[in-house]
Amino acid sequence: MTTPHSGSAATLVSQLTLDEKLLLLSGANMWSTETVGAIPSTFLANGPNGVGKQASEADHVGGGEMLPATCFPSPSVLASSWDVAFVEEVGVALGRESRSKDVGVLLGPGLNIKRHPGGGRVFEYFSEDPHLSGKIAAALVRGVQSQGVGSSIKHFAGNNQETFRMRLDSVIDERTLREIYLTGFEIAVRESDPWTVMTSYNLVNGEHPGESQRLLAQILREEWGFSGLVMSDWFAVSDRPAGIRAGLDLEMPGNNGIWTGRVKKAIAEGTLTLAEVDAAAARVARLALRAAAAAAGPAVSADLDAHHALARRAAAAGTVLLRNDGILPLRAEGTIAIIGAAAETPRYQGVGSAHVNAITVETVLDALHGRLGTSAEFTFARGYDATSGAVSAEDSAAAQEAAEAADVAVLLLAIPAGKEAEGIDRENLVFPPAMNELVRTVTAANPRTVVVLVNGAPLELPWADAPAALLEAYLGGQAAGPAIVDVLFGDAEPGGRLGESFPVAAADLPASAHFPTTSPTQVQYRENIYVGYRFHDSFGIAPRFPFGHGLGYTSFEYGALEVSGEGVNLAITVPVTNTGERAGSEVVQLYVHARDSVVHRPEQELKAFAKVHLEPNETRRVTLALGHRAFAIYDVARSSWAAESGDYEIRVGSSSRDIRSSTIVLLATGDAVTPVERPQSAVASAAEFARLLGGPVPPAAGLVPYSINSPIDDLRTTWLGRRLHGALLGVITKKLPAGGDDDTQAMITAVVGGMPLRTLVANSDGKLSLDTMDRIVRVLNAASPEARRARRAAKA
C-alpha cells in the first residue's frame, strides 16, 4: 500500500511516547481521530443509507446540521431487494459520496437481528435472518470500501432493543448467540473484510462487548480472522483498561483523556501491558494510513443526479407487493384519488443517527404530475395529519368524497415518525386507531383502493384484506415518491420480498414475553433460536405475511431440483421459468429442514438465495451452493459447529410459506452432536432457560447502588438523585443542538436520559473527572436508604 506517510503503522507507533499512544486511542472530537506525529486524523461519519457528515461538532445522534447527501433507502428496503449485486452498487455510490466529502470511515451498516419488530431501530437493520443480513451487509461493505472508504459494521453484539440500551444486559444462551446474533457479523467479516467493527452499548451475559476478550479476541479476531480496528459506539466505554486488554482499539468520541490516568495505573499495576497498548495503537495508525492513502489518490466526485436515479431504482427494487387482486399495475386513465398526507409531506427515512440531510426530495404528488400529464387526472385529500396521524372529521369526509368520485383510490398510510426512532422502542405495532378507521372508510367508499404502507418496520394490519392491493414501500429515501409512482403504474416492478415476517399480532411472538426488557437492567432471550419465521414455521402460528413473501407483475414456475457435489458441499440447481407476459424478477430461496435431530432445530432455515431477472417465457437454471454450515448447529458442549449425519430436506420456493420444489439428501458427515433437550414451548421456562445457559439464570442488577455506569435518568429513583438530576443533565444537554423537529428532540431526550453518568465527565470539557464522579456516586449511595439496603443484600 502506498501512503504519503513513511513507515509502517507499527514502526510509527514505536516512535511515540506512552502519552502519544494513549492520545491515539481516543477521538480528537466528536467525529475525528487524533493526529499524532506522522499519523494523520481520520474523519468518521454516520451511515449507511447516506453520508451523515456533521457540518460542525454537533451531536452524534443526528440532531445537528449536516452536509447535504443522497438519502438512499433504509436498510430494510435494501434487504427486501434480496439483490446482492444491486446493493453493492449502492455501496459504491455511498463510498464515492464519502470520498467526495473527505470521510474516511462510514459508520455502518447495522447488522443487529430484528428480534422483535417493536425495536426502535428496526428500520436501520436488515432482517430477522442472519444469512440474509450477512450477505446484504457484505455487499454494501464491499461497495463502500471499493472506493477507498472504510465501513464499520455495528453494533457488535446482542443489541436488539433501545430501551435502557446503555445499561441493559442481554442474557443469551451460547447456541442462540452463535446461530442467530453473531452469524450475520461473521458472514460480513469473512466476505467483505470491513475496516472496522463497532461495539454496542449493552452488556452480553454480564460483560460489555467492548471489554469482552471472548467476543473480541477469541471470536472476532481468532475464529473469524478479523484484522481491522474495533471502535466503541459513542460514549460506550465503561472500563477503558479492560477494553484495551480485550482489543477495543478506538474510543469515540474525544473526551479530554478522562481515562488516561486509569490506563496508566493499570499499566503500572500490571493488569494492562504496553504490548496491548501498542497493538491497539498500531491498528488505529493502520486505519489512519489506509484512509490517508486513499485520500491521496485521484480525486473522487459524486454524480448526484445519477445517485438520485439509483436511489429511485433501489426504492422500487425493495418495494414489496403484499396483495393484489389484479388492480396493479394501474392504467394512466380516468380519475385517481390520492389520499394521505405522505403523498405531500413524505416520510422517507428514520429518526436518529441514520438521519441524512437529503439533497432533494421528490414527493408522490410531484411524480404524478410528470407521469400522468393529460392522460388522467388526480385529486388529493390529506386524510390525516402527517406528524400525529390524527384524522379530523373534515379529513375523513374529504377522503371519503375523493374516493367515491374516483375510478381508483390510492391511500398512502405513513406511521408517524415519532413512533419509530432511535433510543425509543415501540409500545405497539399499530397505526393510530383513527388511521385504521380511515382505511375502512376509504375502502368502503371505493373497493378499487390501493393502500401503500410507509413505515420502518412491520405493523399489525387487521384490515389487510380490505384493499384491492397492498404495497409495502418502507422508508424509501429521497426518491421514494417517484419510485412508488413507478411501481403503481408498472414502469418498475415491485422487486421486493420481505426480509422480515409480519405477525398477525405482536402478542403472538415469543420474544414479546421478554421485550423490550425482562427487568430494567436485563433482557432474557428466552425464545432462544425461534425468531421470526423460525418461530412461525416451527410452531404453526401463521404470520400475516411470511418471510420472503412478495408478489410481482408476472408469474414463475419452478422445476425439479437437481443435486450435485459430494459430502456437505452440494450444488442445488432448479429451473425457473417466467410464465407471465411481462419481464420480472424472482427471488429463489433455499431452506434446509433437518428431518431428524438430537437437538431442537427450527422447522427450516434460509441457507441460500438468488435474485434472477427473466423475460417472458425465459427459463434459467439457478444454482445455489451449500456447505458444512448450511447443515450445522453450534454444539455448545464441544464449542464447535457440527452437522449431523442423516436426512435433510432441501426446499426451494418464493417464501418460507411458498415452497415450490424439494428433495431429500442423505449426509454422512462424521460429526458428533451433543443432544439438547427441547423447551416445551417457544418461550423457555426459567428452568429450561437455565439449562440452555448451562447454569443459573443470572439475577438482574438493581438500579441502586449507583455507579458511574448508571443512566442519568436513574437518578430519579432516590431523593438526592432527583435533586441532582436536572443540574447534571444540563451539563450534557447544553452541548446538544437546539431546534429541530419534535420527533428528533424526543429522540435526543430519550438518548440523553439513558446515557451513563460517566458521559457527564466526557462532556464536561475537563471540569469533571472520573474520580470526582466516583465521589458524587458515593454521596448519592450514602444518602440513599435503597442503596444501603442493596449493598447489605449483596454482601449477604
Side-chain angles (χ1 to χ4, degrees):
M1 177 182 72
T2 59
T3 171
H5 305 274
S6 60
S8 69
T11 299
L12 292 176
V13 167
S14 70
Q15 298 167 359
L16 303 178
T17 67
L18 176 58
D19 283 336
E20 288 173 326
K21 292 172 185 176
L22 298 183
L23 190 64
L24 198 62
L25 300 188
S26 178
N29 49 48
M30 191 64 74
W31 296 106
S32 297
T33 64
E34 289 278 8
T35 298
V36 180
I39 302 167
S41 173
T42 304
F43 196 94
L44 318 175
N46 274 327
N49 54 295
V51 183
K53 182 175 182 179
Q54 299 281 346
S56 61
E57 271 283 306
D59 68 296
H60 82 287
V61 289
E65 182 183 356
M66 293 182 192
L67 298 179
T70 304
C71 181
F72 286 94
S74 70
S76 292
V77 180
L78 297 182
S80 293
S81 76
W82 293 63
D83 194 328
V84 171
F86 187 75
V87 171
E88 189 164 340
E89 186 180 347
V90 172
V92 170
L94 286 167
R96 293 190 70 83
E97 287 201 31
S98 297
R99 280 284 305 279
S100 72
K101 299 178 189 300
D102 298 320
V103 170
V105 175
L106 191 66
L107 302 175
L111 266 164
N112 297 102
I113 290 297
K114 301 184 180 188
R115 172 182 176 242
H116 189 285
R121 294 180 88 171
V122 163
F123 65 86
E124 203 174 328
Y125 302 136
F126 291 120
S127 176
E128 67 189 26
D129 180 79
H131 183 82
L132 178 59
S133 293
K135 293 291 186 178
I136 297 297
L140 197 67
V141 171
R142 286 193 300 270
V144 170
Q145 295 189 166
S146 71
Q147 302 304 301
V149 175
S151 282
S152 187
I153 60 174
K154 61 182 187 178
H155 306 88
F156 188 73
N159 177 202
N160 307 100
Q161 48 276 317
E162 292 296 283
T163 303
F164 306 134
R165 65 179 181 174
M166 295 189 80
R167 65 128 179 265
L168 198 67
D169 185 8
S170 299
V171 181
I172 315 172
D173 69 273
E174 182 70 6
R175 181 185 169 200
T176 298
L177 181 66
R178 294 284 191 149
E179 293 186 13
I180 304 298
Y181 297 102
L182 294 186
T183 291
F185 285 98
E186 181 182 2
I187 292 171
V189 166
R190 293 185 184 277
E191 296 189 5
S192 65
D193 191 21
W195 289 14
T196 80
V197 170
M198 182 191 294
T199 59
S200 56
Y201 289 123
N202 57 290
L203 292 82
V204 175
N205 296 329
E207 63 178 358
H208 286 278
E211 296 152 19
S212 171
Q213 293 195 36
R214 188 176 73 92
L215 285 173
L216 299 185
Q218 296 173 15
I219 296 176
L220 179 62
R221 295 196 190 278
E222 293 176 18
E223 289 186 27
W224 299 351
F226 178 69
S227 60
L229 174 142
V230 177
M231 72 170 70
S232 73
D233 203 341
W234 270 232
F235 303 107
V237 172
S238 64
D239 185 336
R240 190 66 179 117
I244 295 172
R245 189 164 55 245
L248 178 64
D249 306 309
L250 176 64
E251 176 192 9
M252 288 299 295
N255 53 33
N256 298 298
I258 65 171
W259 289 103
T260 299
R262 297 195 179 190
V263 172
K264 286 184 174 180
K265 182 181 179 182
I267 294 171
E269 294 176 345
T271 57
L272 180 67
T273 68
L274 286 172
E276 290 166 334
V277 172
D278 287 350
R283 286 190 284 263
V284 176
R286 191 175 303 120
L287 173 74
L289 296 177
R290 192 175 192 179
V300 169
S301 62
D303 186 338
L304 299 180
D305 288 339
H307 288 181
H308 184 73
L310 177 63
R312 180 173 179 170
R313 289 194 290 123
T319 296
V320 185
L321 181 57
L322 299 173
R323 289 189 62 253
N324 187 20
D325 71 355
I327 190 173
L328 292 181
L330 298 176
R331 297 177 181 274
E333 59 186 27
T335 302
I336 303 169
I338 304 297
I339 302 168
E344 180 180 51
T345 308
R347 182 171 177 233
Y348 57 93
Q349 63 177 329
V351 177
S353 56
H355 179 82
V356 177
N357 182 11
I359 292 171
T360 184
V361 178
E362 286 190 83
T363 71
V364 167
L365 297 185
D366 292 335
L368 278 172
H369 283 293
R371 176 61 177 82
L372 296 181
T374 59
S375 60
E377 62 179 80
F378 70 89
T379 59
F380 173 66
R382 188 182 80 150
Y384 55 87
D385 180 78
T387 300
S388 66
V391 180
S392 67
E394 293 79 6
D395 284 333
S396 180
Q400 180 177 355
E401 181 180 351
E404 288 175 341
D407 297 308
V408 173
V410 176
L411 172 58
L412 285 94
L413 212 60
I415 195 82
K419 299 289 186 181
E420 300 175 314
E422 179 176 351
I424 308 168
D425 289 315
R426 289 198 285 176
E427 297 179 356
N428 53 57
L429 305 185
V430 301
F431 278 105
M435 295 182 77
N436 282 333
E437 188 58 34
L438 179 66
V439 176
R440 298 185 178 96
T441 296
V442 172
T443 53
N446 190 334
R448 289 175 54 77
T449 294
V450 178
V451 173
V452 180
L453 300 174
V454 180
N455 50 292
L459 294 160
E460 295 178 9
L461 303 170
W463 41 258
D465 293 335
L470 184 58
L471 199 64
E472 174 58 82
Y474 284 116
L475 303 178
Q478 67 181 47
I484 289 171
V485 172
D486 289 342
V487 171
L488 287 173
F489 289 92
D491 301 323
E493 66 164 345
R497 306 295 185 267
L498 291 178
E500 56 199 340
S501 307
F502 275 47
V504 173
D508 292 342
L509 304 176
S512 290
H514 296 269
F515 178 86
T517 69
T518 303
S519 77
T521 61
Q522 186 187 80
V523 55
Q524 298 175 11
Y525 286 46
R526 289 206 196 178
E527 73 283 356
N528 57 92
I529 57 176
Y530 297 106
V531 175
Y533 73 90
R534 287 171 169 80
F535 159 69
H536 289 291
D537 295 349
S538 301
F539 290 89
I541 306 298
R544 176 74 67 185
F545 296 107
F547 175 80
H549 170 70
L551 307 174
Y553 293 155
T554 186
S555 55
F556 297 90
E557 285 186 359
Y558 288 62
L561 302 186
E562 301 172 15
V563 181
S564 59
E566 296 182 356
V568 294
N569 297 310
L570 303 178
I572 310 299
T573 300
V574 58
V576 180
T577 302
N578 181 349
T579 57
E581 299 179 354
R582 293 173 55 109
S585 63
E586 173 73 333
V587 177
V588 181
Q589 304 163 38
L590 187 153
Y591 298 85
V592 172
H593 164 71
R595 302 185 76 190
D596 296 295
S597 180
V598 298
V599 299
H600 64 101
R601 301 179 72 146
E603 169 65 21
Q604 58 185 3
E605 295 182 277
L606 180 77
K607 294 300 179 181
F609 64 88
K611 188 162 191 175
V612 292
H613 300 265
L614 300 175
E615 296 295 322
N617 300 314
E618 181 183 2
T619 297
R620 186 173 304 169
R621 291 169 57 81
V622 179
T623 298
L624 302 168
L626 300 178
H628 183 267
R629 283 288 289 273
F631 305 99
I633 59 97
Y634 189 79
D635 191 324
V636 177
R638 292 179 167 83
S639 299
S640 63
W641 292 92
E644 297 173 271
S645 296
D647 288 345
Y648 292 83
E649 184 176 3
I650 308 300
R651 301 169 174 174
V652 175
S654 59
S655 83
S656 65
R657 291 294 182 105
D658 186 5
I659 302 302
R660 305 292 186 86
S661 189
S662 64
T663 190
I664 304 295
V665 297
L666 173 62
L667 301 184
T669 66
D671 289 358
V673 176
T674 306
V676 176
E677 187 175 347
R678 175 187 292 271
Q680 293 301 303
S681 73
V683 181
S685 67
E688 291 170 333
F689 193 49
R691 188 165 61 245
L692 294 172
L693 291 171
V697 179
L703 299 183
V704 290
Y706 296 122
S707 74
I708 63 171
N709 292 319
S710 296
I712 293 169
D713 279 351
D714 277 6
L715 293 177
R716 297 179 297 189
T717 61
T718 64
W719 72 270
L720 182 56
R722 285 191 292 273
R723 298 187 68 174
L724 289 175
H725 178 263
L728 290 177
L729 198 62
V731 176
I732 189 169
T733 53
K734 71 180 182 181
K735 290 257 183 190
L736 299 176
D741 59 69
D742 291 343
D743 293 327
T744 297
Q745 288 303 311
M747 179 271 301
I748 290 176
T749 298
V751 168
V752 169
M755 285 184 169
L757 293 174
R758 55 183 159 75
T759 61
L760 294 168
V761 180
N763 283 276
S764 70
D765 294 326
K767 296 182 180 68
L768 291 174
S769 69
L770 289 174
D771 289 340
T772 301
M773 185 56 68
D774 278 336
R775 289 193 291 272
I776 292 172
V777 166
R778 285 197 294 271
V779 171
L780 286 168
N781 288 332
S784 165
E786 299 96 332
R788 294 197 298 271
R789 285 195 295 270
R791 285 201 303 273
R792 287 196 297 268
K795 289 179 180 179

